[in-house]
Structure formats: structure tokens, C-alpha cells
Amino acid sequence: MALYDPTTPVSSDAHRRVHAAYEIAHTAVDFAAALLFVVGSVLFFWESTTYFATWLFVIGSLCFALKPSVKLLRELKFWRMGRLDAIAPQDDRQ
């Protein structure tokens, strides 16, 4: 199984559940980043909240950096799910 295979999300019920969970995480991070940037932008209208607005921008930027990490983690999870037989072969002698 390749690290990225576009057919992986529909390989099995377990793959569909993993795909759905990571998509929700990716969307949540995306939404958080957008919300932080919008709130930070509004706070820049007042000099007294500029410091807090800057921190919201920094945190929002970290969220945007986290987005590809979520996708990479999902692909690594899929890769491990498809390679378990190669890592720990089943022993039929029980």
C-alpha cells in the first residue's frame, strides 16, 4: 500500500471511520484558524486589544500549519492499517 492512495478511504468500514474522524479534525482546525483570524482582525481596530489580536494571529497561523499535519497523520494511519500483515503476520497454528 502506497503512503497516499486515493482509494484507501473506501477500502473498508474501519478505513471509512478513520477517514471521517480525520476529516472532522481537519475541518475543526480549519474552522479554528479562520475564527482566530477573524476575531484577531476585529481586535486590531482598538489599540488596547492589539497585543491579544497578535496572539490570535500567531495561534491561527499554528492552526494553518497543523492542517497538513492532520492529513499526514491520517495517511500514516491508513498506511499502518494496510501493512499490519507485513509487520505481524498471522499465525494459523493455534
Side-chain angles (χ1 to χ4, degrees), residues 5-86:
D5 180 357
T7 63
T8 301
V10 294
S11 297
S12 69
D13 285 338
H15 285 83
R16 282 189 282 278
R17 282 191 299 275
V18 168
H19 182 77
Y22 280 85
E23 280 299 305
I24 290 169
H26 187 267
T27 302
V29 170
D30 208 12
F31 182 77
L35 184 65
L36 289 166
F37 270 82
V38 169
V39 172
S41 296
V42 171
L43 291 178
F44 271 113
F45 284 120
W46 300 277
E47 192 173 327
S48 62
T49 57
T50 301
Y51 180 79
F52 186 61
T54 303
W55 273 108
L56 290 180
F57 270 54
V58 169
I59 296 167
S61 297
L62 291 172
C63 286
F64 281 125
L66 185 60
K67 283 176 50 178
S69 301
V70 170
K71 288 202 176 221
L72 177 61
L73 289 172
R74 180 188 67 196
E75 293 305 318
L76 291 172
K77 174 75 172 175
F78 281 154
W79 183 73
R80 285 193 308 265
M81 288 173 71
R83 297 292 307 234
L84 288 178
D85 58 333

Side-chain angles (χ1 to χ4, degrees), residues 88-94:
Q90 295 293 322
D91 188 358
D92 293 332
R93 302 172 291 155
Q94 292 180 343

